[in-house]
């Protein structure tokens, strides 16, 4: 048998799973061997399977320890673990992260404070975050939960262009909770209507700067003779 291959350097960067065994760590007498191209070699003594892998300059990796006998595949283990880690990173990158922000109000909140809190809700929804709005009741305020519900519905109405009621107001002890979720178009790029407005503004700016509007520039100029005759 050839000398033991060095453990892949990548193990220091990408830790292996506890039950992941390679090369001499595979102690069973026989394995069901799969070559580097995925071809079935068949049931082979582990010692011969190691020689087979070493002869190709690759590793013998146990990929199905629960099988009888265990399945071992010939591969470049360092490359295999690196590709696994890259795929995991890409999957994490494309995962949609949902953030939940919380705003707390009092039933008797003042107009100025209400506008401030509403501004926070607008900002959170604009960042595509869910907003948990909590009304906190104290003392005798618990006798009039409808005031808290009215306040929550007023807030939902004020921000309906940005968010919708994902969870209706529910009473939870001394608190009443409602959850707002961002609308699908929140945070999207300029839509066609906005682009049309921007186009009109550019035309007006051009007229102010002495330029003719686009429709005037597209017209063919009349010959001078025709103008004179007219």
């Amino acid at each position: 048998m050839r000398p033991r291959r060095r453990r892949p350097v990548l193990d220091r960067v990408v830790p292996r799973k506890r039950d992941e065994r390679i090369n001499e760590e595979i102690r069973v007498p026989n394995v069901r061997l799969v070559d580097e191209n995925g071809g079935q070699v068949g049931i082979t003594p582990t010692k011969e399977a190691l020689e087979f892998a070493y002869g190709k300059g690759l590793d013998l990796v146990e990929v199905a320890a629960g099988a009888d006998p265990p399945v071992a595949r010939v591969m470049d283990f360092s490359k295999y673990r690196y590709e696994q880690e890259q795929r995991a990173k890409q999957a994490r990158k494309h995962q949609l992260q949902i953030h939940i922000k919380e705003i707390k109000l009092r039933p008797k909140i003042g107009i100025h404070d209400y506008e401030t809190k509403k501004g926070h809700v607008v900002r959170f929804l604009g960042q595509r975050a869910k907003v948990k709005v909590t009304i906190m009741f104290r003392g005798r305020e618990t006798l009039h939960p409808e005031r808290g519900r009215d306040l929550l519905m007023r807030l939902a109405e004020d921000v309906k262009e940005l968010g919708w009621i994902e969870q209706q107001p529910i009473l939870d002890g001394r608190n009443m909770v409602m959850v707002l979720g961002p609308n699908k178009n929140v945070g999207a790029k300029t839509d066609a209507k906005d682009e049309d407005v921007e186009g009109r503004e550019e035309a007006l700016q051009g007229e102010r700067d002495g330029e003719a509007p686009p429709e005037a520039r597209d017209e063919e100029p009349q010959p001078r003779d025709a103008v004179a005759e007219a």
Side-chain angles (χ1 to χ4, degrees), residues 35 55 60 63 76 82 91 96 105 117 138 142 155 184 190 206 223 226:
D35 65 21
L60 184 67
V63 294
D76 184 335
Y82 175 78
L96 180 62
L105 309 174
K117 297 286 188 178
R138 293 181 182 175
T142 57
L155 177 62
K184 291 183 178 180
T190 307

Side-chain angles (χ1 to χ4, degrees), residues 181-199:
N183 291 335
K184 291 183 178 180
N185 59 346
V186 172
K189 294 184 179 180
T190 307
D191 56 17
K193 182 179 179 181
D194 292 337
E195 290 177 356
D196 185 47
V197 171
E198 290 177 0

Side-chain angles (χ1 to χ4, degrees), residues 26-32 43-49 68-70:
I26 304 174
R27 302 299 178 88
V28 294
N30 299 304
V31 294
R32 187 177 299 275
I43 298 176
T44 308
T46 304
K47 187 175 181 179
E48 294 181 15
D68 185 22

